Amino acid sequence: MSDELWVFGYGSLMWRPGFAFVERAPATLAGRRRAFCIYSVHHRGTYARPGLVLGLAPGGSVRGAAYRIAPADWASVYAYLMEREQPTETYIEARRFVRLADGRRVECLVFLSDAHHPQWAGALSLKRQAQLIAGATGLSGRNVDYLRDLVEHLGQEGIVDRSMQRLLGLVEGIIPPL
């Protein structure tokens, strides 16, 4: 086992990591999929009007990005990630192996969705996800902007996620364009 320190991102960590890293590589995590399965009452919604944020739900696989962190930076990166990813402790911190685009297999820190947390939304229909996302705003802005950023940045990475594209289409059918 390697003593390298890696972090896996599948959502906004892909385009806005916010921490120092020495290497970034496309990566795939098996056994989990990208899903709007967490009610957001902090970053993209409120307790009165929750939105949805991404989680790693069981099943499938997910393409994202892996970041190798210098050992000297690990403590500050880890503290930053705990503040960013765990404001309401909706995720389970775990270590999972991912496959990098160049074939390497590395162990990463990942944040898995906690299906036992009160903010677990589970497998909502696309229509219900669209309704929640269309009307929610939190400390980090409008929920729809998070979804738009996701679809745009996934495309820039060469990742086509048809369910996210369909979801964005449904949301844009609910709210007027900017």
Side-chain angles (χ1 to χ4, degrees), residues 13-169:
L13 283 179
M14 292 175 64
W15 66 85
R16 189 177 45 83
F19 53 81
F21 57 90
V22 294
E23 180 181 359
R24 180 189 190 276
T28 301
L29 173 66
R32 294 287 173 154
R33 61 186 170 78
R34 181 184 297 109
F36 276 96
C37 61
I38 304 289
Y39 290 114
S40 177
V41 297
H42 184 78
H43 285 296
R44 298 295 175 169
T46 64
Y47 283 99
R49 181 58 176 88
L52 289 171
V53 291
L54 291 174
L56 286 174
S61 66
V62 61
R63 289 176 56 197
Y67 298 91
R68 185 166 54 90
I69 311 302
D73 294 331
W74 182 253
S76 64
V77 168
Y78 181 79
Y80 167 78
L81 288 170
M82 293 306 289
E83 182 177 326
R84 175 177 168 164
E85 299 298 318
Q86 292 283 58
T88 57
E89 300 178 351
T90 55
Y91 302 102
I92 299 168
E93 178 185 340
R95 303 270 177 188
R96 295 291 185 270
F97 284 96
V98 303
R99 178 75 59 189
L100 302 183
D102 65 9
R104 287 180 290 165
R105 188 171 175 258
V106 299
E107 188 178 46
C108 289
L109 170 65
V110 298
F111 292 94
L112 306 176
S113 302
D114 182 354
H116 301 292
H117 193 281
Q119 287 174 244
W120 170 251
L124 301 173
S125 70
L126 281 181
K127 180 180 178 182
R128 182 63 183 137
Q129 290 175 52
Q131 292 167 339
L132 288 165
I133 290 169
T137 300
L139 293 173
S140 296
R142 296 183 332 149
N143 207 173
V144 65
D145 295 335
Y146 177 71
L147 174 57
R148 282 186 181 125
D149 281 349
L150 173 68
V151 170
E152 176 184 336
H153 287 92
L154 288 177
Q156 291 171 2
E157 296 279 336
I159 299 170
V160 177
D161 189 323
R162 285 178 177 73
S163 67
M164 295 300 146
Q165 292 171 337
R166 281 193 304 273
L167 179 57
L168 180 57

